[in-house]
Amino acid sequence: MGLQRSTELSEEQLIPIAILPKISAMLSFLGSAWIMAEVLTGRDVETRLPKLKHPYHRLLLGMSFLDTIESVANIFSTWALPADTPNAWQAKGNTMTCNLQGFFLQASVGVPTYNAALSIYYVLVINYNMPIQKIGRRIEPMMQLFCQCWAFGTATAAVSLKLINPAGPWCWIAPFPSDCKDSWRYPDEANCQRGDNAWIYRWAFFYAMMWFCLLFTSVCTIMVARKVYTVDQTSLKYRRPEISGPLAVENSTAPGTNEQDTNNEPGTENGRDNKRASFIKSVSGSLTRATSRLGSIRDSHKRFAENNARTMEIFKQVRFKYSSDRWLMLFPPGAKH
């Protein structure tokens, strides 16, 4: 969201500025509403339990709810601006509608916090093997409380401090008049009627948290990717062990490699006895090595069976995350400029 500029724009410039946010916001609203309906009415494919029983779906529901109200606020765009706002096409609102729109837009800061909460969920499940029931009882309530309190707490503070003013094609944290001097940088010349030091509150209420959540989510994603890669390589070793020929004869047992073979001349009794003894020794060694190798294969299969359930759970969680988030990828939350 940018600050309102004093430069006069033509009507041809103002029309697309007012209409384009409505189109993108409508698509975002449809995607988030679909996710909410899916969570509220759907059942888990594996357990057939309602999706609301799962902490992941409850976190997704909270994020979609905040994105939905943000999308509704963006759909109104310039309609909510006070009627006398310059550089605003079809401004039809007043101070109350402006505050209401700004309140919902500021509450959208909860969307990146919910993304960070979902990242924590996956780290706990995949990296630390924490039971989902334990996450639902102990961790998820704290994440829900923090996300909702930060979203609506900062939105309420912004309205109470009279920080919500016209800011481009919508209302958000901005100074009024747009070219006034704030008391932080110009203590002797401050003349803002509303939204004094708006740029400080933007960083404190929105941008700092957004960037923190972005970096935090990136770190969590790297941790999960490393864990999945490690488990995949381990399971691959158990699924495809390199099995050498169990009946391979070592060079040390081949004829002619020891002193006894010097008497293995054809046609002599001593040579025939030595060949017979060498053959029996070779077969006995091969059988011993085959038995040992079969025991090793049996142990590998046993270890794979023990790890297979965990491996499949990890792949199911990762696959389900990206399939469940497909609408958020197609219709991401409205960006703030």
Side-chain angles (χ1 to χ4, degrees):
M1 296 179 180
L3 292 177
Q4 180 182 348
R5 304 299 181 183
S6 58
T7 304
E8 291 294 334
L9 301 176
S10 64
E11 186 174 358
E12 289 76 13
Q13 294 173 315
L14 294 175
I15 291 176
I17 292 176
I19 293 179
L20 290 178
K22 302 179 189 295
I23 299 174
S24 60
M26 180 60 72
L27 296 176
S28 179
F29 171 80
L30 294 175
S32 298
W34 182 86
I35 292 175
M36 291 178 62
E38 183 76 13
V39 172
L40 291 172
T41 62
R43 290 184 174 272
D44 188 85
V45 177
E46 300 277 341
T47 63
R48 304 307 302 167
L49 293 174
K51 290 186 176 181
L52 280 176
K53 296 287 186 180
H54 200 292
Y56 167 79
H57 290 105
R58 292 194 292 266
L59 291 172
L60 189 63
L61 178 65
M63 181 172 62
S64 300
F65 169 72
L66 292 179
D67 186 60
T68 299
I69 64 175
E70 179 199 12
S71 299
V72 172
N74 279 322
I75 289 173
F76 284 92
S77 65
T78 55
W79 294 339
L81 294 174
D84 58 350
T85 303
N87 284 337
W89 185 71
Q90 292 294 314
K92 304 289 187 180
N94 50 40
T95 302
M96 184 182 68
T97 59
C98 186
N99 282 332
L100 189 62
Q101 184 185 50
F103 177 87
F104 288 141
L105 290 181
Q106 175 55 36
S108 67
V109 71
V111 174
T113 60
Y114 267 109
N115 270 310
L118 287 170
S119 299
I120 294 175
Y121 167 82
Y122 278 103
V123 169
L124 293 177
V125 171
I126 297 175
N127 292 61
Y128 296 98
N129 197 24
M130 181 177 290
I132 294 177
Q133 293 79 5
K134 185 177 180 180
I135 296 176
R137 289 194 309 267
R138 300 183 180 181
I139 309 298
E140 185 219 346
M142 294 187 292
M143 294 192 292
Q144 293 276 12
L145 182 63
F146 174 79
C147 294
Q148 294 292 337
C149 286
W150 184 264
F152 291 103
T154 56
T156 302
V159 174
S160 302
L161 295 173
K162 298 182 179 180
L163 300 174
I164 304 300
N165 297 293
W170 39 58
C171 289
W172 191 46
I173 300 175
F176 183 82
S178 60
D179 56 352
C180 68
K181 296 181 179 180
D182 59 82
S183 59
W184 178 268
R185 292 176 291 188
Y186 309 97
D188 298 329
E189 304 177 35
N191 60 349
C192 292
Q193 300 176 20
R194 292 168 56 92
D196 188 26
N197 298 316
W199 63 278
I200 297 178
Y201 288 103
R202 283 188 172 196
W203 275 99
F205 288 175
F206 193 91
Y207 291 128
M209 177 59 69
M210 181 187 68
W211 281 107
F212 171 78
C213 291
L214 177 63
L215 295 176
F216 182 82
T217 303
S218 300
V219 172
C220 291
T221 302
I222 293 173
M223 292 176 61
V224 171
R226 287 173 58 89
K227 180 65 175 180
V228 171
Y229 177 79
T230 302
V231 173
D232 178 62
Q233 293 301 308
T234 303
S235 64
L236 182 64
K237 181 176 66 176
Y238 293 142
R239 293 197 305 266
R240 298 173 57 187
E242 296 179 1
I243 304 176
S244 59
L247 298 179
V249 179
E250 296 180 356
N251 291 333
S252 60
T253 62
T257 57
N258 52 53
E259 295 180 358
Q260 294 180 355
D261 291 332
T262 57
N263 295 324
N264 290 346
E265 297 179 1
T268 66
E269 187 68 24
N270 190 35
R272 285 192 295 270
D273 291 342
N274 288 337
K275 284 185 176 182
R276 189 180 299 108
S278 177
F279 175 76
I280 294 173
K281 181 179 179 180
S282 174
V283 171
S284 176
S286 297
L287 291 175
T288 301
R289 289 191 297 273
T291 303
S292 176
R293 187 58 184 170
L294 289 174
S296 176
I297 295 173
R298 186 163 49 249
D299 292 340
S300 297
H301 288 172
K302 181 179 179 181
R303 289 193 299 270
F304 170 70
E306 294 173 353
N307 287 273
N308 186 54
R310 177 68 187 144
T311 303
M312 293 301 102
E313 175 66 17
I314 290 175
F315 287 132
K316 182 182 71 173
Q317 293 286 349
V318 173
R319 173 177 58 82
F320 187 72
K321 169 180 171 57
Y322 292 105
S323 63
S324 298
D325 290 348
R326 57 189 180 275
W327 276 104
L328 286 180
M329 289 189 292
L330 290 173
F331 307 116
K336 309 293 184 301
H337 304 288

